[in-house]
Amino acid sequence: MTGDLIALAALASIALFVVGLKRLSKIRTARSGNLLIASGMLLAVVITLVEQGLVDYRWIAGGLAVGAVVGVLIVVRAKATQMPEIVARFNGFGGAASALVALALFWLEVVEAGADDPAAVVLGMASAITVSLSILIGVTTFTGSILAELKLRGTVKGQPRIPLRGILLTLLLAGGLAAGLGGLFALADPLTASALVAGLVAASLVAGVVLVLPIGGADMPVVISLLNSLSGLAAAATGFALENNLLIIAGTMVGAAGLILTQIMCRAMNRSLANVIVGGYGGDATGG
Amino acid sequence: MMGPLLVSIYVFVLAAFLGFELITKVPPTLHTPLMSGANALSGITVLGALSLVTVADPSVGVVLGTLALVLATINVVGGFLVTDRMLSRFGGGGDR
């Protein structure tokens, strides 16, 4: 019975997300839309805490308190012109968080549990695949977003050409994914498996830099919008790994809505997304 | 009855269609705030972190989970706050 109530409350928070996003895309209702999404999020957090029942709250309380204080401080101390930079940083944190949840799941359930089987057996095949995807997308989003913030701020200037960038990016993403999947599917020894997962993390860290570095600072808003879409997908992948439908729904909605918004932003500049991603245009950021 | 994985795949596909349909026309002034609000929503991964750090004794896994919880909470709290700050300046005239 309580289970049904919790499921209904989760549905209410999804409804708040949907209506909120819709309202956020119209000027007159935008502020209330943001408030609706925020209350949906608060409801979702309360639901999760209630669902877990009596657990040890020390880490939860500490993590929530530190995160809330730091989040507020970052916004309060930022100048009005720095808003897009702040969004980029938060987006990077969100991507990193999704990847870290996937890593923590792997570590807690496989390595620390002292499992004698590969992660794909312990977690299930679908979870093992989505853990890898979550790390890949989340970590790429993290370094990409932080670099985007630095470019917006002007700390990193120019758009250096990276030779064979497309091939390099493909190799990093495919190679990283192969390492991660290999570690999770084939290896029963947790130590070797986690070394391969570390390889996936390393490849993804570099991939984010390779993706964003050649793109000019003035194109960063489009890049951040694309990375925002990716961080949504990372959250959705984490949702698959944890079998949590709230994460899947909210993450996927951000992924899809973010992609549409990215296209709208490209069209407003008379550019195609491919044209922006190839890089070499746009010059440095001048508040654009 | 469908298995849980199949239900999740249904949910994923339908949520993708919903996300695509939800955003149609957005005035340029709302591009950044909408991106910012959607970004705060992607901090939903905070729920995943919450479900992992439920034990008392510290371990590498718990530390990873807590780090995720901190970063996701920054994303959520800061994200909604910064969106509201951007939108609050709309009434006062001037661009963005």
Side-chain angles (χ1 to χ4, degrees):
Chain A
M1 199 57 205
T2 358
D4 288 352
L5 277 179
I6 286 173
L8 280 175
L11 190 58
S13 98
I14 292 163
L16 285 167
F17 295 156
V18 174
V19 178
L21 266 182
K22 186 79 196 165
R23 292 176 76 89
L24 194 54
S25 62
K26 294 190 180 64
I27 289 183
R28 225 181 293 165
T29 53
R31 203 172 178 189
S32 72
N34 182 49
L35 212 65
L36 286 182
I37 304 177
S39 27
M41 185 68 83
L42 185 64
L43 178 60
V45 168
V46 172
I47 292 168
T48 307
L49 291 176
V50 170
E51 198 177 15
Q52 277 167 194
L54 281 176
V55 293
D56 192 282
Y57 290 110
R58 262 172 280 180
W59 297 92
I60 291 178
L64 284 175
V66 171
V69 170
V70 174
V72 170
L73 280 181
I74 291 177
V75 177
V76 171
R77 300 174 94 188
K79 293 193 207 85
T81 48
Q82 288 178 318
M83 298 297 167
E85 295 166 30
I86 303 296
V87 177
R89 191 189 310 169
F90 287 155
N91 190 54
F93 286 0
S98 287
L100 281 167
V101 170
L103 277 172
L105 177 71
F106 164 69
W107 204 270
L108 288 166
E109 305 278 322
V110 181
V111 181
E112 276 172 20
D116 291 324
D117 293 308
V121 177
V122 182
L123 300 172
M125 289 222 289
S127 282
I129 294 172
T130 43
V131 158
S132 306
L133 284 176
S134 171
I135 297 172
L136 180 82
I137 305 172
V139 174
T140 303
T141 306
F142 172 63
T143 44
S145 298
I146 299 303
L147 183 56
E149 184 197 354
L150 295 176
K151 283 192 157 228
L152 266 182
R153 187 181 295 164
T155 314
V156 176
K157 286 192 166 68
Q159 48 264 17
R161 288 222 164 273
I162 298 176
L164 301 173
R165 171 165 165 257
I167 297 169
L168 181 61
L169 204 54
T170 313
L171 278 177
L172 282 169
L173 296 177
L177 200 56
L181 288 175
L184 295 181
F185 272 81
L187 295 171
D189 171 36
L191 203 68
T192 354
S194 34
L196 283 177
V197 171
L200 166 62
V201 173
S204 313
L205 284 169
V206 181
V209 176
V210 173
L211 178 68
V212 176
L213 195 62
I215 305 177
D219 282 344
M220 279 308 118
V222 173
V223 172
I224 296 165
S225 180
L226 183 68
L227 291 169
N228 171 41
S229 167
L230 284 178
S231 74
L233 290 180
T238 306
F240 270 102
L242 295 171
E243 289 168 8
N244 183 327
N245 282 333
L246 255 174
L247 251 72
I248 298 177
I249 293 174
T252 309
M253 267 167 48
V254 172
L259 200 59
I260 296 294
L261 180 62
T262 309
Q263 279 179 339
I264 293 177
M265 288 167 82
C266 285
R267 216 174 296 144
M269 303 194 308
N270 272 323
R271 304 267 299 277
S272 71
L273 182 56
N275 181 265
V276 170
I277 297 302
V278 163
Y281 297 87
D284 290 324
T286 47
Chain B
M1 281 296 281
M2 292 189 282
L5 177 62
L6 204 54
V7 173
S8 294
I9 293 175
Y10 264 65
V11 160
F12 172 73
V13 173
L14 291 176
F17 276 114
L18 184 57
F20 280 133
E21 295 299 323
L22 217 48
I23 308 299
T24 43
K25 264 182 254 161
V26 187
T29 39
L30 279 183
H31 286 174
T32 310
L34 178 57
M35 174 168 84
S36 177
N39 166 49
L41 179 54
S42 70
I44 187 86
T45 199
V46 70
L47 306 185
L50 281 175
S51 67
L52 287 182
V53 291
T54 52
V55 290
D57 46 327
S59 66
V60 176
V62 172
V63 170
L64 286 174
T66 308
L67 192 57
L69 179 58
V70 171
L71 290 177
T73 309
I74 296 176
N75 186 191
V76 168
V77 174
F80 287 122
L81 207 60
V82 81
T83 311
D84 191 66
R85 194 176 150 187
M86 284 184 223
L87 293 170
S88 70
R89 291 154 14 89
F90 265 30
D95 57 349
R96 295 208 223 194

